[in-house]
Amino acid sequence: MKLTIIGTGYVGLVTGACFAEMGSQVTCVDIDAKKIDLLKKGDLPIYEPGLEKIVRENLVDGTLQFTTRLAEAVEDCGIFFIAVGTPPGEDGSADLTYVLEVARQIGMHMTQYAVIVDKSTVPVGTADQVTRVIQGELDRRGVDLPFDVVSNPEFLKEGAAINDFLKPDRIIVGVNTDRAAKTMRRLYAPFSMNRDKMIFMNVRDAEMTKYAANAMLATKISFMNEIAGMCEHLGVDVENVRKGIGSDTRIGYSFIYPGCGYGGSCFPKDVKALIKTARDIGLHPSLLTAVEERNNLQKQVLGDKVRFRFGPDLTGRCLALWGLAFKPGTDDMREAAAIVFLQDVMAAGATVQAYDPVAMTQASKELPGDWLASGRLTLMDDPYQVLENADALALVTEWKAFRQPDFKRMRQIMKTPILFDGRNQYDPEEMAEFGFEYHGIGREFQHRPHG
């Protein structure tokens, strides 16, 4: 099948590459000429395991193309995916400016019946707006072309997006006509070979499903972080609590790991947007508001622990930081807990030496230039190098490379062997055996170094 993906950000690029991998003829469109030039060479503007290989192979095979001109991709194309950004406005609402502009351009250029698929995360009612914009352009052109607008939200985890797309748990499709349903079923047939993974519903139902799913996962995270805070005051190890409740199949182990709070491009934005939607219809989203508030507070916990240990004035203190991305498996730093930690400790006078296995280039672009220019923050290319002269190490992102480090070597390098474990990666008793003073989340046991 021939399809066009508008937007080559994270969602658009993964979507286009994976459809091409299954044999569809895909053209990805973006107004960013530099990005398109990069992609035409097989170079990616983002990090996602396995994506570069698929992009390069399908470029060679001719099943994947990139252009800045939507008009070039329209010929004989009957499926358009809208995969542009929906950044949050000041009031938390999703900004649909890019989505509606793409809809306008589709209406300007389409030449036959088409299915327009909202792949971007958009509020309930967006498909109705997209329909009006496209119809308005068709009316302006004086042409009568049938079309359907479909909601097909993505459920991709950064760091595992290729597997999520190629082997999905479910494929949510919101449609209003049988014709659109038939087109979408044919398009996704290669992804449902073992069993039917497609769940059809009304368009507005699908739009809501995406927000509800992300809000539910965010709720689990904030709930566990709140329990972790209680555990610290009650002398309880939250890790034992996590294992105890996770063994209940009604709860499960996913998304109940206490830590520094959630980040990224989805959970924070989508919770805000759902809160705004609830308020717009006259409801008070008390639970969602609490989820967001808990997460904002949780991102300050690690910095609070550092100041509690060393005092409010961190002048003269050197801290090592492991992890800058908001989660392992990606270079995405949007809403990352590491940014809040850096703001907190540097405002208190500390200098920081930071390392991340993947996000170093992104960090040099996204972090404030004065942090680096002033010498308060130094980005280093080796996880052990950042430990030199360090008064303590803070782990913020739980990369696999950090799971079994050389603790003996770490203790020899560090000025003082103090570990602030923002993701509860390490066992407090084991850290004590290696001579580390350990501070975790919800397991604040003051193990002092031996000897």
Side-chain angles (χ1 to χ4, degrees), residues 162-169 191 197:
I162 300 301
N163 187 69
D164 287 346
F165 199 102
L166 296 178
K167 300 178 181 179
D169 295 325
F191 305 92
K197 300 175 182 178

Side-chain angles (χ1 to χ4, degrees), residues 45-348:
I46 60 172
Y47 174 80
E48 177 60 36
L51 180 58
E52 185 175 75
K53 178 177 181 290
I54 293 178
V55 168
R56 290 185 173 182
E57 289 178 351
N58 284 280
L59 274 172
V60 172
D61 293 343
T63 53
L64 182 62
Q65 301 177 21
F66 297 98
T67 182
T68 58
R69 294 175 55 81
L70 179 59
E72 294 179 359
V74 166
E75 186 177 356
D76 296 327
C77 183
I79 305 176
F80 298 88
F81 277 82
I82 301 177
V84 294
T86 54
E90 292 184 3
D91 60 357
S93 61
D95 186 344
L96 298 178
T97 301
Y98 302 127
V99 170
L100 298 180
E101 174 57 24
V102 169
R104 187 183 69 83
Q105 291 188 31
I106 291 173
M108 289 173 56
H109 296 292
M110 59 185 289
T111 59
Q112 60 181 350
Y113 168 77
V115 173
I116 293 88
V117 184
D118 280 336
K119 198 68 174 174
S120 303
T121 301
V122 293
V124 174
T126 299
D128 297 335
Q129 296 186 58
V130 169
T131 298
R132 287 193 294 270
V133 169
I134 294 174
Q135 188 60 57
E137 284 300 318
L138 294 175
D139 293 343
R140 186 186 63 79
R141 291 169 57 192
V143 296
D144 183 17
L145 292 174
F147 67 93
D148 286 299
V149 178
V150 168
S151 175
N152 175 218
E154 54 85 13
F155 297 94
L156 306 176
K157 299 186 295 292
E158 292 192 42
I162 300 301
N163 187 69
D164 287 346
F165 199 102
L166 296 178
K167 300 178 181 179
D169 295 325
R170 76 288 199 201
I171 302 168
I172 303 295
V173 183
V175 297
N176 290 329
T177 70
D178 291 339
R179 187 177 185 181
K182 183 178 180 180
T183 299
M184 295 301 290
R185 185 173 289 282
R186 181 185 171 203
L187 177 64
Y188 274 107
F191 305 92
S192 299
M193 300 297 287
N194 293 331
R195 62 177 177 85
D196 187 2
K197 300 175 182 178
M198 303 194 72
I199 303 175
F200 286 95
M201 57 186 70
N202 292 328
V203 172
R204 295 171 74 90
D205 301 345
E207 291 171 334
M208 186 62 177
T209 297
K210 169 63 176 180
Y211 277 105
N214 279 354
M216 182 66 209
L217 297 176
T219 299
K220 292 184 72 174
I221 294 171
S222 283
F223 170 82
M224 203 65 208
N225 282 332
E226 186 128 314
I227 293 296
M230 296 176 64
C231 288
E232 291 197 359
H233 287 83
L234 296 171
V236 174
D237 187 343
V238 73
E239 285 301 301
N240 289 329
V241 176
R242 179 186 65 79
K243 294 172 185 176
I245 67 173
S247 61
D248 187 330
T249 56
R250 296 171 300 174
I251 298 172
Y253 291 103
S254 298
F255 290 88
I256 60 168
Y257 290 86
C260 310
Y262 59 77
S265 63
C266 294
F267 288 5
K269 175 173 68 71
D270 293 352
V271 170
K272 287 180 183 293
L274 205 51
I275 289 172
K276 177 63 166 57
T277 297
R279 289 173 176 165
D280 285 347
I281 58 178
L283 301 178
H284 177 60
S286 55
L287 177 58
L288 294 172
T289 300
V291 168
E292 183 181 45
E293 291 176 352
R294 175 70 264 166
N295 192 61
N296 291 337
L297 291 171
Q298 199 67 25
K299 290 183 179 181
Q300 302 171 20
V301 166
L302 210 58
D304 291 343
K305 288 179 178 291
V306 171
R307 289 193 299 273
F308 183 81
R309 171 60 180 82
F310 292 113
D313 186 359
L314 299 179
T315 303
R317 298 289 183 182
C318 176
L319 302 177
L321 175 62
W322 278 2
L324 291 165
F326 87 91
K327 62 176 281 188
T330 180
D331 62 352
D332 194 342
M333 291 185 60
R334 286 174 287 185
E335 301 279 349
I339 296 176
V340 177
F341 176 79
L342 288 169
Q343 291 171 333
D344 287 353
V345 298
M346 289 194 300

